[in-house]
Amino acid sequence: MMEIKPIKRNVNIVKLSQDHHASLLFCWKIRQGIKYHIEFDRLKQYVEYFWNTHFSEHFKEEEQFLFKSFIDENVEKAIEDHHKIKELISKLSYEIPAKRNELLSELADTVNQHVRFEERILFPHLEKKLSDEQLEIIGTQINEEPLQDNYHDNFWTKSVSL
């Protein structure tokens, strides 16, 4: 059996990878909420919370500090992904009830695929293309505060009534 080794990330962008871990947990929580038939409004409120406390700042940091240093098709794909995620989140406000879980699933899948792309393809690519000096400057611009997902409603935990 092949051992999967953790990805070694440049110290200056480790924080972005840590944020990605929180994003993968976000996907899992949304999927759990769907699985447990949690009311749409509760899930939507969590998505809005996560957008306001995480995604909006994370996307801004990547786009303003990391991506502006080197533009190519990989960076453009990441920016397109950000736009798609924003669009999916905004659709939650007006989606017809019959399509809501489908939209939430699409959001979770899109975030998951985006994070995997950045971690497996984009970040290693940028670590090769950017100089140590560029990465150090980026590292000084990124907020070092770790994401705290302290959402008040733990809808993703299995209820006794299920």
Side-chain angles (χ1 to χ4, degrees):
M1 185 170 178
M2 191 171 91
E3 181 184 344
I4 298 175
K5 295 181 181 178
I7 297 171
K8 180 78 171 146
R9 186 66 57 231
N10 181 289
V11 67
N12 294 294
I13 59 173
V14 164
K15 165 64 171 58
L16 296 174
S17 287
Q18 291 167 342
D19 287 354
H20 285 163
H21 177 73
S23 297
L24 293 175
L25 284 174
F26 163 86
C27 297
W28 177 81
K29 290 172 182 179
I30 293 300
R31 290 181 180 123
Q32 291 298 103
I34 294 167
K35 177 180 164 182
Y36 295 150
H37 306 286
I38 301 302
E39 300 84 21
F40 173 76
D41 286 339
R42 286 175 67 190
L43 298 177
K44 180 179 175 251
Q45 287 172 7
Y46 176 67
V47 170
E48 290 168 349
Y49 160 85
F50 206 82
W51 169 261
N52 291 325
T53 62
H54 174 62
F55 283 144
S56 61
E57 180 68 23
H58 178 82
F59 289 177
K60 186 173 88 175
E61 285 182 334
E62 286 183 337
E63 291 172 13
Q64 289 182 350
F65 307 132
L66 183 60
F67 298 168
K68 77 172 186 178
S69 303
F70 185 82
I71 302 288
D72 67 1
E73 66 278 355
N74 287 323
V75 171
E76 288 172 355
K77 180 194 178 327
I79 293 169
E80 286 172 24
D81 287 353
H82 287 182
H83 291 298
K84 182 173 183 181
I85 291 165
K86 289 178 205 174
E87 182 183 306
L88 290 170
I89 290 170
S90 70
K91 278 184 177 181
L92 291 174
S93 294
Y94 57 85
E95 187 59 76
I96 60 170
K99 299 271 187 185
R100 288 175 172 170
N101 282 350
E102 187 178 310
L103 180 59
L104 286 167
S105 290
E106 183 181 358
L107 174 62
D109 290 346
T110 302
V111 170
N112 188 304
Q113 290 166 6
H114 171 69
V115 167
R116 303 289 183 199
F117 166 75
E118 284 192 349
E119 286 296 321
R120 295 175 181 164
I121 296 169
L122 182 61
F123 283 10
H125 173 69
L126 290 176
E127 287 171 329
K128 288 179 188 164
K129 295 291 183 183
L130 299 175
S131 68
D132 289 341
E133 293 77 23
Q134 286 174 301
L135 288 166
E136 282 179 36
I137 291 167
I138 291 164
T140 64
Q141 296 170 320
I142 294 171
N143 179 358
E144 292 185 25
E145 283 297 309
L147 171 69
Q148 298 294 320
D149 185 355
N150 296 322
Y151 193 62
H152 67 276
D153 178 0
N154 293 344
F155 62 84
W156 54 86
T157 58
K158 191 169 185 177
S159 159
V160 180
S161 63
L162 289 179

